[in-house]
Amino acid sequence: MKSFRTVITVCIALALAGAAFAQSRGNGRVQGKVIDNAGQPIENVVVRAQMVDQTELMTAKTNKKGEWRLNNLANGQWKIEFSKDGLEPVRQLFEISADRAAPINVTMGPPQPKEDPTAAINASLQRAVATAQAGKFAEARKICEDLLVQMPSLTQCQPFIARMYAAENNAAEGVKAARLAVEKDPANVDNKLLLADLLMEAGQKVEAKQILDDIDLTQVKDPFPFINAAITQINEGKGLEAAEGLTKLLAQFPNQAEIYYYRGRAYLKAEKMDEAKADFEKFVTMGKPDSKEVADAKKILEQIKK
């Protein structure tokens, strides 16, 4: 036998449930029509209405004329949804007051193609490149900075910003941007090379050399950061060290004429004349005949022969 307390509890629960159910019910009604983009009625559209903050759904379907109607609705604010396979759903809010609501007539059509965010990003990046090519480096940088506000995870912008700072002769800010580029995409060799190059420009040569030493040359597409590092070593009187690094670089870039020229200068600094002579002769055959470096190599060869 149930206790008196249990019976009372069950009755209260049922009464509360009935009260909650009753909140969505009333004497109100709403109606309307659904048409397509050509103005023709759409049949069998499912209409679902739900009172705000309630769970009960009131449903209907459109007839052949596209008409629908919902009755027994309580006064208050409602959410309504129109749906049918192959059509974009339509959702609205409406109000029932004094048991009446304004007719809800909607137009439904095929789902609209969603905008491809990649296309918008690429368009902005192309605009940034075109702006940079016009020599407007600060404006180009601003385009990418604005993109990063919208999409902080975008990896293409930080290295571009770093290059723009470099073009503005602001190596210190360029280094900051290049560091962020490496942090965001640590496996990207080009970003590491960019950071090393900017560190060289900023006078932080030791750190730049450490970065270059840790890079796998087989992954490198641009030899010039390594050539720049070798030039720094030559200027510091470290000819043999520079020549050693350039020899490793030649294994990866055997057709890069500039490497022979600077290795020749490295050997010259180390007073290894035979090796310098061989590299300068090789460079003269590979370099652009009217270039300053070829003219310089020819002068050095004349001096060596004397």
Side-chain angles (χ1 to χ4, degrees):
M1 180 182 294
K2 292 182 179 179
S3 70
F4 179 76
R5 184 186 302 273
T6 303
V7 172
I8 291 294
T9 303
V10 171
C11 288
I12 291 173
L14 289 173
L16 290 173
F21 178 80
Q23 287 178 6
S24 299
R25 297 284 185 167
N27 298 318
R29 64 177 180 269
V30 63
Q31 62 190 32
K33 187 174 182 178
V34 181
I35 60 173
D36 62 19
N37 292 326
Q40 298 301 308
I42 306 176
E43 186 181 4
N44 290 326
V45 174
V46 177
V47 184
R48 298 181 180 88
Q50 183 180 28
M51 197 172 189
V52 173
D53 298 329
Q54 299 297 316
T55 58
E56 183 188 7
L57 280 175
M58 311 290 281
T59 62
K61 273 190 177 183
T62 57
N63 59 23
K64 290 182 179 180
K65 295 181 180 180
E67 298 169 342
W68 61 274
R69 180 170 176 162
L70 288 170
N71 297 314
N72 303 320
L73 306 182
N75 291 321
Q77 194 173 45
W78 287 76
K79 298 179 288 187
I80 193 166
E81 179 186 74
F82 302 84
S83 62
K84 184 175 183 178
D85 287 346
L87 299 177
E88 185 80 18
V90 175
R91 299 177 182 89
Q92 293 184 11
L93 288 174
F94 70 95
E95 182 106 12
I96 294 183
S97 178
D99 296 335
R100 295 289 186 274
I104 302 176
N105 301 316
V106 301
T107 301
M108 299 182 70
Q112 295 296 314
K114 295 182 178 179
E115 184 179 353
D116 182 6
T118 304
I121 291 169
N122 287 339
S124 293
L125 291 174
Q126 288 171 9
R127 184 161 57 89
V129 170
T131 305
Q133 289 172 341
K136 301 175 182 179
F137 305 121
E139 290 182 29
R141 173 166 50 80
K142 182 67 165 53
I143 293 170
C144 262
E145 288 170 344
D146 290 343
L147 268 178
L148 282 175
V149 172
Q150 301 170 32
M151 297 188 66
S153 61
L154 197 63
T155 58
Q156 298 98 314
C157 276
Q158 287 295 356
F160 182 85
I161 290 170
R163 289 186 175 92
M164 293 303 97
Y165 274 125
E168 295 174 74
N169 296 316
N170 192 341
E173 289 299 321
V175 166
K176 291 179 184 178
R179 286 193 194 280
L180 288 173
V182 172
E183 287 175 14
K184 284 189 173 185
D185 194 2
N188 191 308
V189 173
D190 290 338
N191 288 349
K192 292 178 181 178
L193 289 173
L194 175 61
L195 176 57
D197 212 20
L198 289 171
L199 284 168
M200 283 283 184
E201 286 188 32
Q204 302 178 50
K205 298 174 183 178
V206 174
E207 184 181 357
K209 184 68 166 52
Q210 288 173 344
I211 292 171
L212 293 175
D213 287 344
D214 289 338
I215 290 176
D216 179 2
L217 284 177
T218 62
Q219 303 299 313
V220 173
K221 299 175 184 177
D222 179 8
F224 285 96
F226 293 88
I227 293 174
N228 290 339
I231 292 170
T232 298
Q233 290 175 319
I234 293 167
N235 292 336
E236 292 174 347
K238 300 175 182 178
L240 284 178
E241 191 175 338
E244 182 182 349
L246 290 168
T247 298
K248 292 177 182 178
L249 196 61
L250 267 175
Q252 182 66 14
F253 300 95
N255 298 318
Q256 192 74 46
E258 291 85 353
I259 300 176
Y260 287 99
Y261 173 75
Y262 286 106
R263 193 175 67 171
R265 295 197 69 91
Y267 282 133
L268 197 64
K269 180 68 70 171
E271 298 183 355
K272 288 187 169 289
M273 297 305 173
D274 290 341
E275 290 86 345
K277 179 175 176 291
D279 274 351
F280 285 129
E281 287 175 343
K282 179 74 172 178
F283 175 68
V284 168
T285 64
M286 294 177 67
K288 294 180 180 179
D290 57 347
S291 71
K292 174 181 175 298
E293 288 78 12
V294 167
D296 184 54
K298 288 178 177 179
K299 287 181 182 178
I300 293 172
L301 284 170
E302 290 174 4
Q303 293 172 357
I304 291 174
K305 289 175 183 178
K306 291 179 182 179

